[in-house]
Amino acid sequence: MNESKLTLGYSDETFAKPFRRLRRTRMTEALRSLVRETELSLNDFILPLFVVPGKRFRKEVGSMPGVFQLSVDELIRECAEVKALGIPAVILFGIPEHKDEMGSDAYNEHGIIQTAVRALKKEIPDLVVVTDVCLCEYTSHGHCGIVQGNEIVNDASIELLAKEALTHAQAGADIIAPSDMFDGRVKAIRDILDANKYLNIPIMSYSAKYASGFYGPFRDAAESTPKFGDRRSHQMDPANSDEALHEVEQDIIEGTDIVMIKPALPYLDVIRRVKDRFQMPTAAYNVSGEYSMIKAAGRNGWIDEPRVMMEVLTSIKRAGADIILTYFAKDAAKLLKEKK
Ligand code: PBG
């Protein structure tokens, strides 16, 4: 039996006729754009930014060309440009003055993120400010929570993450984004926000975050490499995707508003499954390693960087992401504007 008959239900007579010419709608750019299924938009992007203490400080991250550690004054300048380009949102990562075992600068109301958010909301009020909630940039050991013996403990850590989230909300953050992957943290954060009357601040949780080699350059940028061990006791095993559905479902039960899959490219299948299953607002994080590989190959002349960038971003959206966190946001925004 003819296989196509089985899958598409065409009769043999149909196949005897002139074959379908799927190329017809590809012949001109006008036709191609008429039938295009996925359109990237500026409204999809969130640009990650790294904030450091000090003034007039702007230092490029060695492994991430075009990405800088910025002091608050430089952050404001950068965000004015981001806003002017039409990018709706940024996500902030902080590098604190001081690190200790409890990551106490993470929930210090005068910490780097809290200070940066207050300044940003004052200067550029309508730029959406997302704050990453984690302890790894703030702990002396570089882990995302409290370490006891050989264990990164869960329940005591989520209490601190909730405190951190509250200080971000108090500073004026628009969206809270926990990236730790501990159990129960979305509920802990929702509870503390609600108890303090921040009923309308959404949570965008890193729901299916994998223990990935693609975070390498980020850890240079955020100075958050663990001093011992790794993150495999809380981040997901790259081999699993059913488990990602459980992680996402659990975050939804606990009250998340936007679910995130991270990294993006090696997990496009997971993005699609999550979108199909839950139809939630879905974000994907096109992480540092994904960015740096394209930058490096582009600089070597091995690939056409702008073209590959747009292809990758489009593929993430095609897979089902509504929101893309990407270091390419400014480059892509410029290209999208040129095209118009
Ligand atoms: C943790 C955090 C990480 C990233 C975002 N939030 C690093 C990690 O889990 O080690 C990685 C982002 C990237 O690679 O671009 N606070």
Side-chain angles (χ1 to χ4, degrees):
M1 196 190 282
N2 185 334
E3 283 219 1
S4 332
K5 195 165 164 182
L6 269 182
T7 52
L8 295 172
Y10 289 128
S11 64
D12 289 341
E13 294 75 66
T14 315
F15 273 90
K17 298 261 162 54
F19 47 79
R20 286 173 85 191
R21 293 189 184 275
L22 289 160
R23 292 180 57 195
R24 281 187 197 112
T25 49
R26 291 176 204 150
M27 287 297 163
T28 66
E29 177 51 26
L31 284 170
R32 288 191 291 272
S33 65
L34 211 52
V35 299
R36 190 160 292 140
E37 297 171 41
T38 309
E39 202 92 54
L40 270 184
S41 153
L42 276 175
N43 299 330
D44 307 329
F45 296 142
I46 301 179
L47 175 68
L49 293 170
F50 299 95
V51 205
V52 295
K55 272 213 158 94
R56 294 220 201 94
F57 186 90
R58 186 180 174 86
K59 185 173 153 223
E60 193 165 36
V61 179
S63 53
M64 300 180 75
V67 174
F68 296 81
Q69 292 182 331
L70 304 166
S71 53
V72 174
D73 52 328
E74 291 288 334
L75 173 77
I76 304 262
R77 203 169 310 168
E78 178 78 11
C79 286
E81 193 190 328
V82 167
K83 182 86 188 63
L85 281 168
I87 297 164
V90 295
I91 179 166
L92 301 184
F93 296 92
I95 295 110
E97 195 105 50
H98 151 91
K99 302 192 188 214
D100 58 33
E101 293 223 322
M102 302 291 283
S104 52
D105 255 7
Y107 38 91
N108 171 352
E109 63 173 305
H110 301 295
I112 183 68
I113 286 296
Q114 294 80 353
T115 307
V117 172
R118 274 191 298 269
L120 253 185
K121 290 315 292 181
K122 182 159 168 259
E123 300 295 332
I124 314 175
D126 47 357
L127 181 71
V128 174
V129 177
V130 186
T131 55
D132 182 87
V133 170
C134 196
L135 293 181
C136 62
E137 296 101 327
Y138 303 91
T139 50
S140 42
H141 42 67
H143 283 297
C144 308
I146 298 172
V147 176
Q148 278 166 9
N150 286 329
E151 195 184 334
I152 305 163
V153 297
N154 195 90
D155 298 13
S157 298
I158 66 176
E159 274 183 43
L160 298 183
L161 293 166
K163 266 172 77 173
E164 180 181 2
L166 178 60
T167 62
H168 290 182
Q170 285 164 337
D174 297 297
I175 300 179
I176 300 294
S179 67
D180 52 285
M181 286 298 282
F182 295 138
D183 292 320
R185 90 284 203 208
V186 171
K187 180 177 177 348
I189 291 172
R190 189 70 267 163
D191 284 350
I192 201 170
L193 290 179
D194 288 357
N196 287 275
K197 307 257 183 324
Y198 293 103
L199 300 173
N200 290 326
I201 303 236
I203 295 175
M204 173 169 74
S205 54
Y206 293 64
S207 304
K209 176 175 177 181
Y210 288 86
S212 170
F214 286 89
Y215 307 149
F218 171 94
R219 292 179 188 171
D220 280 348
E223 301 176 10
S224 64
T225 308
K227 299 276 185 294
F228 55 89
D230 56 38
R231 309 217 199 287
R232 285 176 224 257
S233 78
H234 45 293
Q235 299 180 349
M236 279 184 59
D237 183 334
N240 297 352
S241 90
D242 289 345
E243 188 186 353
L245 300 182
H246 289 285
E247 282 285 0
V248 168
E249 181 176 52
Q250 185 58 33
D251 280 8
I252 296 169
I253 291 167
E254 292 179 25
T256 196
D257 301 280
I258 303 170
V259 301
M260 194 201 298
I261 292 95
K262 174 186 175 190
L265 272 191
Y267 303 94
L268 292 178
D269 57 323
V270 178
I271 298 174
R272 171 48 60 199
R273 285 190 79 187
V274 165
K275 187 64 188 176
D276 284 349
R277 178 72 156 254
F278 300 105
Q279 283 106 39
M280 283 285 286
T282 303
Y285 200 139
N286 176 222
V287 302
S288 56
E290 300 174 58
Y291 172 85
S292 299
M293 289 194 307
I294 292 175
K295 283 282 171 190
R299 289 187 158 203
N300 271 303
W302 293 341
I303 57 169
D304 176 344
E305 182 188 318
R307 181 174 174 181
V308 169
M309 166 184 78
M310 292 313 253
E311 185 174 338
V312 160
L313 295 174
T314 303
S315 76
I316 296 169
K317 185 157 186 192
R318 192 196 63 232
D322 306 294
I323 299 170
I324 305 172
L325 296 93
T326 179
Y327 304 95
F328 284 120
K330 282 168 65 186
D331 292 351
K334 287 175 195 159
L335 266 191
L336 286 172
K337 284 206 160 168
E338 268 172 36
K339 271 208 308 191
K340 278 200 173 160

